[in-house]
Short mmCIF file of all heavy atoms in Angstrom, two decimals:
data_model
loop_
_atom_site.label_atom_id
_atom_site.label_comp_id
_atom_site.label_asym_id
_atom_site.label_seq_id
_atom_site.Cartn_x
_atom_site.Cartn_y
_atom_site.Cartn_z
N VAL A 1 139.88 44.49 110.05
CA VAL A 1 138.93 43.82 111.06
C VAL A 1 139.54 43.06 112.05
O VAL A 1 139.29 43.10 113.31
CB VAL A 1 137.87 43.06 110.25
CG1 VAL A 1 136.85 42.26 111.22
CG2 VAL A 1 136.99 43.89 109.37
N GLN A 2 140.62 42.36 111.66
CA GLN A 2 141.32 41.53 112.69
C GLN A 2 141.90 42.32 113.71
O GLN A 2 141.83 42.03 114.93
CB GLN A 2 142.26 40.64 111.96
CG GLN A 2 143.26 39.71 112.82
CD GLN A 2 142.61 38.67 113.60
OE1 GLN A 2 141.51 38.21 113.10
NE2 GLN A 2 143.05 38.31 114.78
N ALA A 3 142.61 43.42 113.29
CA ALA A 3 143.33 44.26 114.26
C ALA A 3 142.40 45.03 115.16
O ALA A 3 142.62 45.38 116.27
CB ALA A 3 144.15 45.21 113.48
N ALA A 4 141.18 45.31 114.62
CA ALA A 4 140.09 46.19 115.40
C ALA A 4 139.14 45.21 115.97
O ALA A 4 138.12 45.72 116.52
CB ALA A 4 139.47 47.12 114.45
N SER A 5 139.32 43.94 116.21
CA SER A 5 138.32 42.96 116.89
C SER A 5 138.62 42.81 118.27
O SER A 5 139.91 42.94 118.63
CB SER A 5 138.33 41.61 116.04
OG SER A 5 137.77 41.75 114.71
N GLY A 6 137.58 42.69 119.10
CA GLY A 6 137.79 42.62 120.47
C GLY A 6 138.72 41.69 121.11
O GLY A 6 139.49 41.89 121.97
N GLY A 7 138.80 40.37 120.35
CA GLY A 7 139.57 39.37 120.81
C GLY A 7 141.04 39.75 120.80
O GLY A 7 142.01 39.41 121.63
N SER A 8 141.48 40.42 119.69
CA SER A 8 142.90 40.95 119.63
C SER A 8 143.06 41.97 120.64
O SER A 8 144.32 42.14 121.19
CB SER A 8 143.15 41.42 118.26
OG SER A 8 142.98 40.33 117.25
N LEU A 9 142.15 42.89 120.81
CA LEU A 9 142.26 44.08 121.55
C LEU A 9 142.51 43.81 123.07
O LEU A 9 143.30 44.28 123.68
CB LEU A 9 141.10 45.11 121.41
CG LEU A 9 140.97 45.58 119.90
CD1 LEU A 9 139.74 46.23 119.64
CD2 LEU A 9 142.16 46.57 119.71
N TYR A 10 141.61 42.92 123.66
CA TYR A 10 141.67 42.69 125.14
C TYR A 10 142.93 41.85 125.41
O TYR A 10 143.41 41.87 126.51
CB TYR A 10 140.42 42.10 125.56
CG TYR A 10 140.08 40.69 125.35
CD1 TYR A 10 140.78 39.65 126.18
CD2 TYR A 10 139.10 40.30 124.58
CE1 TYR A 10 140.52 38.29 125.97
CE2 TYR A 10 138.84 38.89 124.48
CZ TYR A 10 139.46 38.05 125.16
OH TYR A 10 139.15 36.54 124.79
N ARG A 11 143.42 41.10 124.38
CA ARG A 11 144.75 40.37 124.62
C ARG A 11 145.91 41.28 124.41
O ARG A 11 147.05 40.75 124.46
CB ARG A 11 144.74 39.14 123.67
CG ARG A 11 143.67 38.07 123.97
CD ARG A 11 143.81 36.84 122.99
NE ARG A 11 142.83 35.80 123.35
CZ ARG A 11 141.68 35.83 122.62
NH1 ARG A 11 141.47 36.59 121.72
NH2 ARG A 11 140.84 34.82 122.89
N LYS A 12 145.73 42.57 124.00
CA LYS A 12 146.78 43.39 123.67
C LYS A 12 147.65 42.86 122.53
O LYS A 12 148.89 43.10 122.48
CB LYS A 12 147.77 43.76 124.92
CG LYS A 12 146.93 44.12 126.14
CD LYS A 12 146.32 45.54 125.84
CE LYS A 12 145.70 45.97 127.16
NZ LYS A 12 144.98 47.42 126.97
N ALA A 13 146.90 42.17 121.52
CA ALA A 13 147.68 41.69 120.43
C ALA A 13 147.34 42.25 119.15
O ALA A 13 147.28 41.71 118.04
CB ALA A 13 147.22 40.15 120.33
N SER A 14 147.21 43.71 119.22
CA SER A 14 146.86 44.42 118.04
C SER A 14 147.51 45.77 118.01
O SER A 14 147.67 46.38 119.24
CB SER A 14 145.36 44.60 117.95
OG SER A 14 145.02 45.59 116.97
N PHE A 15 147.99 46.24 116.97
CA PHE A 15 148.51 47.62 116.84
C PHE A 15 147.46 48.68 117.00
O PHE A 15 147.86 49.96 117.06
CB PHE A 15 149.34 47.78 115.49
CG PHE A 15 148.47 47.80 114.36
CD1 PHE A 15 148.04 48.93 113.79
CD2 PHE A 15 148.19 46.46 113.67
CE1 PHE A 15 147.31 48.85 112.52
CE2 PHE A 15 147.38 46.42 112.56
CZ PHE A 15 146.99 47.75 112.00
N LEU A 16 146.27 48.37 117.01
CA LEU A 16 145.13 49.29 117.23
C LEU A 16 144.58 49.45 118.52
O LEU A 16 143.58 49.98 118.77
CB LEU A 16 144.00 48.98 116.23
CG LEU A 16 144.28 49.11 114.69
CD1 LEU A 16 143.06 48.73 113.99
CD2 LEU A 16 144.77 50.70 114.39
N VAL A 17 145.20 48.85 119.62
CA VAL A 17 144.87 49.07 120.96
C VAL A 17 144.73 50.49 121.29
O VAL A 17 145.66 51.30 120.95
CB VAL A 17 145.82 48.23 121.91
CG1 VAL A 17 145.58 48.67 123.35
CG2 VAL A 17 145.67 46.79 121.68
N ASP A 18 143.75 50.84 122.06
CA ASP A 18 143.50 52.29 122.51
C ASP A 18 143.55 53.35 121.34
O ASP A 18 144.21 54.35 121.52
CB ASP A 18 144.56 52.71 123.49
CG ASP A 18 144.43 51.82 124.72
OD1 ASP A 18 143.29 51.43 125.12
OD2 ASP A 18 145.56 51.58 125.36
N SER A 19 142.89 53.02 120.12
CA SER A 19 142.99 53.71 119.01
C SER A 19 141.66 54.47 118.70
O SER A 19 141.65 55.20 117.70
CB SER A 19 143.38 52.89 117.71
OG SER A 19 144.76 52.53 117.94
N ILE A 20 140.64 54.39 119.50
CA ILE A 20 139.33 55.01 119.35
C ILE A 20 139.56 56.49 119.31
O ILE A 20 140.20 57.10 120.19
CB ILE A 20 138.33 54.62 120.37
CG1 ILE A 20 137.96 53.14 120.31
CG2 ILE A 20 137.07 55.57 120.20
CD1 ILE A 20 137.07 52.80 119.05
N GLY A 21 139.10 57.14 118.30
CA GLY A 21 139.27 58.59 118.15
C GLY A 21 140.52 58.98 117.49
O GLY A 21 140.69 60.20 117.22
N LYS A 22 141.36 58.14 117.22
CA LYS A 22 142.71 58.43 116.50
C LYS A 22 142.65 58.24 115.14
O LYS A 22 141.93 57.40 114.70
CB LYS A 22 143.83 57.72 117.15
CG LYS A 22 144.00 57.93 118.70
CD LYS A 22 145.11 57.02 119.37
CE LYS A 22 145.20 57.39 120.75
NZ LYS A 22 146.16 56.44 121.35
N ALA A 23 143.61 58.96 114.41
CA ALA A 23 143.62 58.78 112.90
C ALA A 23 144.33 57.42 112.62
O ALA A 23 145.49 57.21 113.15
CB ALA A 23 144.33 59.86 112.34
N VAL A 24 143.75 56.65 111.88
CA VAL A 24 144.34 55.22 111.61
C VAL A 24 144.43 54.96 110.13
O VAL A 24 145.11 54.15 109.60
CB VAL A 24 143.76 54.18 112.30
CG1 VAL A 24 143.90 54.22 113.76
CG2 VAL A 24 142.30 53.94 112.03
N PHE A 25 143.68 55.86 109.39
CA PHE A 25 143.78 55.88 107.90
C PHE A 25 143.99 57.07 107.39
O PHE A 25 143.84 58.15 108.09
CB PHE A 25 142.37 55.23 107.32
CG PHE A 25 142.13 53.74 107.35
CD1 PHE A 25 141.76 53.17 108.61
CD2 PHE A 25 142.46 53.02 106.21
CE1 PHE A 25 141.54 51.79 108.60
CE2 PHE A 25 142.23 51.63 106.24
CZ PHE A 25 141.84 51.01 107.44
N ALA A 26 144.18 57.24 106.02
CA ALA A 26 144.25 58.57 105.43
C ALA A 26 143.01 59.29 105.66
O ALA A 26 142.03 58.78 105.68
CB ALA A 26 144.64 58.42 103.96
N ARG A 27 143.12 60.72 105.68
CA ARG A 27 142.00 61.39 106.03
C ARG A 27 140.71 61.38 105.17
O ARG A 27 139.54 61.47 105.52
CB ARG A 27 142.25 63.02 106.13
CG ARG A 27 141.31 63.84 106.83
CD ARG A 27 141.69 65.23 106.93
NE ARG A 27 140.76 65.95 107.53
CZ ARG A 27 140.88 67.28 107.86
NH1 ARG A 27 142.15 67.93 107.65
NH2 ARG A 27 140.03 68.05 108.38
N HIS A 28 140.98 60.93 103.95
CA HIS A 28 139.91 60.82 102.95
C HIS A 28 139.10 59.43 103.11
O HIS A 28 138.20 59.17 102.29
CB HIS A 28 140.43 61.07 101.42
CG HIS A 28 141.48 60.06 101.03
ND1 HIS A 28 141.17 58.86 100.35
CD2 HIS A 28 142.81 60.04 101.19
CE1 HIS A 28 142.23 58.16 100.16
NE2 HIS A 28 143.28 58.83 100.58
N ILE A 29 139.61 58.60 103.88
CA ILE A 29 139.04 57.27 103.98
C ILE A 29 138.01 57.24 105.08
O ILE A 29 138.18 57.57 106.14
CB ILE A 29 140.25 56.30 104.31
CG1 ILE A 29 141.20 56.18 103.11
CG2 ILE A 29 139.61 54.92 104.65
CD1 ILE A 29 140.53 55.68 101.79
N SER A 30 136.89 56.55 104.66
CA SER A 30 135.87 56.04 105.68
C SER A 30 135.59 54.56 105.34
O SER A 30 135.61 54.14 104.15
CB SER A 30 134.55 57.02 105.58
OG SER A 30 134.89 58.26 105.95
N ILE A 31 135.06 53.88 106.40
CA ILE A 31 134.65 52.54 106.21
C ILE A 31 133.37 52.36 106.88
O ILE A 31 133.17 52.72 108.18
CB ILE A 31 135.73 51.60 107.07
CG1 ILE A 31 137.14 51.79 106.28
CG2 ILE A 31 135.23 50.22 107.01
CD1 ILE A 31 138.33 50.91 106.95
N GLU A 32 132.38 51.98 106.19
CA GLU A 32 131.00 51.77 106.50
C GLU A 32 130.60 50.34 106.76
O GLU A 32 131.12 49.43 106.05
CB GLU A 32 130.18 52.45 105.53
CG GLU A 32 128.56 52.32 105.69
CD GLU A 32 127.75 52.75 104.63
OE1 GLU A 32 128.37 52.98 103.49
OE2 GLU A 32 126.63 53.12 104.87
N GLU A 33 129.90 50.20 107.85
CA GLU A 33 129.37 48.78 108.17
C GLU A 33 127.98 48.86 108.13
O GLU A 33 127.25 49.74 108.81
CB GLU A 33 129.88 48.20 109.42
CG GLU A 33 129.43 46.80 109.65
CD GLU A 33 129.75 46.21 110.98
OE1 GLU A 33 129.98 46.89 111.96
OE2 GLU A 33 130.10 44.90 111.04
N ASP A 34 127.21 47.92 107.36
CA ASP A 34 125.70 47.92 107.30
C ASP A 34 125.24 46.46 107.34
O ASP A 34 125.14 45.93 106.28
CB ASP A 34 125.21 48.67 106.15
CG ASP A 34 123.75 48.79 106.11
OD1 ASP A 34 123.06 48.28 107.03
OD2 ASP A 34 123.12 49.46 105.33
N PRO A 35 124.78 45.96 108.52
CA PRO A 35 124.37 44.61 108.52
C PRO A 35 123.03 44.25 107.81
O PRO A 35 122.69 43.20 107.60
CB PRO A 35 124.22 44.29 110.00
CG PRO A 35 124.90 45.36 110.62
CD PRO A 35 124.75 46.62 109.74
N TYR A 36 122.31 45.40 107.41
CA TYR A 36 120.95 45.23 107.01
C TYR A 36 120.74 45.44 105.46
O TYR A 36 119.60 45.77 105.09
CB TYR A 36 120.17 46.28 107.80
CG TYR A 36 120.33 46.14 109.20
CD1 TYR A 36 120.75 47.13 110.16
CD2 TYR A 36 119.96 44.91 109.99
CE1 TYR A 36 120.97 46.93 111.52
CE2 TYR A 36 120.13 44.76 111.25
CZ TYR A 36 120.59 45.76 112.10
OH TYR A 36 120.75 45.54 113.32
N LEU A 37 121.67 45.25 104.69
CA LEU A 37 121.44 45.41 103.30
C LEU A 37 120.66 44.16 102.71
O LEU A 37 121.05 43.02 103.04
CB LEU A 37 122.77 45.36 102.46
CG LEU A 37 123.75 46.57 102.77
CD1 LEU A 37 125.06 46.40 101.95
CD2 LEU A 37 123.05 47.90 102.26
N VAL A 38 119.43 44.44 102.00
CA VAL A 38 118.76 43.46 101.58
C VAL A 38 119.57 42.67 100.41
O VAL A 38 120.13 43.24 99.63
CB VAL A 38 117.40 44.01 100.86
CG1 VAL A 38 116.61 42.81 100.09
CG2 VAL A 38 116.55 44.72 101.88
N HIS A 39 119.60 41.38 100.60
CA HIS A 39 120.35 40.44 99.67
C HIS A 39 121.85 40.33 100.09
O HIS A 39 122.57 39.67 99.36
CB HIS A 39 120.13 40.64 98.28
CG HIS A 39 118.71 40.50 97.77
ND1 HIS A 39 118.27 41.11 96.62
CD2 HIS A 39 117.52 39.98 98.38
CE1 HIS A 39 116.97 40.84 96.40
NE2 HIS A 39 116.57 40.19 97.40
N GLY A 40 122.24 41.22 101.02
CA GLY A 40 123.64 41.34 101.19
C GLY A 40 124.38 40.13 101.44
O GLY A 40 123.98 39.33 102.22
N ALA A 41 125.64 40.07 100.85
CA ALA A 41 126.37 38.86 101.12
C ALA A 41 126.98 38.73 102.51
O ALA A 41 127.01 37.75 103.13
CB ALA A 41 127.61 38.83 100.18
N GLY A 42 126.98 39.81 103.25
CA GLY A 42 127.43 39.95 104.57
C GLY A 42 126.39 40.43 105.64
O GLY A 42 126.64 41.02 106.48
N SER A 43 125.07 40.16 105.22
CA SER A 43 123.90 40.77 105.96
C SER A 43 123.40 39.68 107.01
O SER A 43 123.52 38.52 106.73
CB SER A 43 122.74 41.13 104.87
OG SER A 43 123.08 42.14 104.17
#
């Protein structure tokens, strides 16, 4: 998250700059974000 956050990216302080659409994890990996989980700790 730190590497893929806007503050790091626009300062060019991340190894993930310009990485949209590129492979950054093993192919079997997906990362899901859902702000709307009922009772969720991170909702």
Side-chain angles (χ1 to χ4, degrees):
V1 171
Q2 175 68 27
S5 291
S8 298
L9 295 164
Y10 78 74
R11 294 184 180 95
K12 305 295 184 182
S14 169
F15 66 94
L16 292 180
V17 169
D18 298 327
S19 291
I20 294 291
K22 297 179 181 179
V24 297
F25 279 85
R27 189 172 181 179
H28 61 95
I29 295 297
S30 294
I31 299 178
E32 179 184 14
E33 182 178 36
D34 186 356
Y36 304 118
L37 294 179
V38 174
H39 300 162
S43 293

